Amino acid sequence: FAELLGLRFWEDGWPCLRCLLLTAALFLGPLCQHFWACCLGDGRLLQLQPTIWMNLRNLVAAPITEEFVFRACLMRIWFGAGIPVGPTLILSPLCFSLAHAHHFLEHMRKRGSRQAALIEIGFQVFYTSLFGIFSNFLLWRTGSLPAAIVAHSFCNHQGFPDLSFFVRQGHMLYNYRNYVSALYLFGIFVFGSSLMPLTAGFTSSFRPET
């Protein structure tokens, strides 16, 4: 039963490491950007939330519960209903992304504008859908729920990249924007070229043909 939900603790270490490396490759640009900013005296190398409870929520509780419900359980239900792989991987993350729509009220209080809150929540739904597709793919390819959880935790820690360095002249990295942008593109290239190799070679209960 546990393996049907992607839990194989005796052999999850390797897929966790490979999925973490794959996700880090996607964030190569933001990682280098942050390190560069730290070298210039802006911020700490390891940035966490102000309280331990916020860190536990963002890095432990949310990844575990969301991956279990929206990945392992939901994908198993969709596959059990006979829905093909493509629609399951691409469309089921909408359930995950819409679960973040309640942040609209928080954005309303923060922005004071319904239009700004709608734009922000729309963008949040969009990029959480993209992440959901990626996480679905990891679970489908590796059969490892902990691997998807590790990738989710890493993404939560990173957050959405700060791209203001590219357009805001007062930004400390504005003069280095071409180099940082090149690192972003290189990271995307490494991610794309490593996506299949780093997720290959695993037995997945979500792919019965393997």
Side-chain angles (χ1 to χ4, degrees):
F1 175 76
E3 189 170 351
L4 290 176
L5 295 176
L7 295 171
R8 300 170 303 177
F9 298 110
W10 58 92
E11 53 184 57
D12 276 322
W14 190 227
C16 284
L17 177 61
R18 288 169 69 168
C19 289
L20 179 60
L21 289 173
L22 180 65
T23 311
L26 180 61
F27 281 89
L28 179 64
L31 287 169
C32 293
Q33 174 187 351
H34 177 65
F35 180 74
W36 204 329
C38 288
C39 291
L40 295 176
D42 181 30
R44 296 176 298 173
L45 192 59
L46 181 62
Q47 291 186 333
L48 296 173
Q49 295 295 326
T51 69
I52 187 173
W53 301 113
M54 294 176 68
N55 289 306
L56 286 174
R57 180 196 65 186
N58 293 344
L59 305 181
V60 180
I64 290 175
T65 55
E66 289 177 354
E67 291 304 311
F68 179 75
V69 173
F70 293 107
R71 235 64 68 194
C73 295
L74 194 60
M75 281 181 63
R76 183 58 65 193
I77 291 172
W78 282 43
F79 284 146
I83 299 175
V85 172
T88 297
L89 296 184
I90 295 173
L91 297 180
S92 67
L94 287 174
C95 301
F96 167 68
S97 62
L98 290 175
H100 294 76
H102 67 279
H103 290 295
F104 172 76
L105 296 177
E106 177 185 345
H107 296 318
M108 270 287 292
R109 288 193 295 267
K110 186 186 302 182
R111 304 294 182 188
S113 166
R114 179 173 297 180
Q115 183 178 4
L118 282 173
I119 292 173
E120 194 161 352
I121 199 65
F123 181 69
Q124 187 173 7
V125 167
F126 170 71
Y127 78 73
T128 50
S129 295
L130 291 181
F131 170 77
I133 294 172
F134 172 59
S135 191
N136 272 357
F137 178 81
L138 293 181
L139 182 57
W140 177 68
R141 288 279 291 176
T142 67
S144 172
L145 179 61
I149 291 171
V150 168
H152 191 150
S153 182
F154 181 83
C155 289
N156 276 6
H157 176 262
Q158 289 299 118
F160 193 81
D162 175 17
L163 302 176
S164 61
F165 72 91
F166 196 71
V167 294
R168 186 159 59 86
Q169 296 187 8
H171 197 286
M172 64 167 52
L173 293 178
Y174 179 77
N175 292 332
Y176 309 101
R177 62 191 183 281
N178 291 334
Y179 301 107
V180 179
S181 299
L183 289 169
Y184 269 75
L185 293 176
F186 181 67
I188 293 172
F189 170 77
V190 173
F191 170 80
S193 59
S194 304
L195 185 61
M196 299 304 288
L198 282 179
T199 57
F202 299 107
T203 301
S204 172
S205 65
F206 292 87
R207 291 186 296 146
E209 71 276 9
T210 62

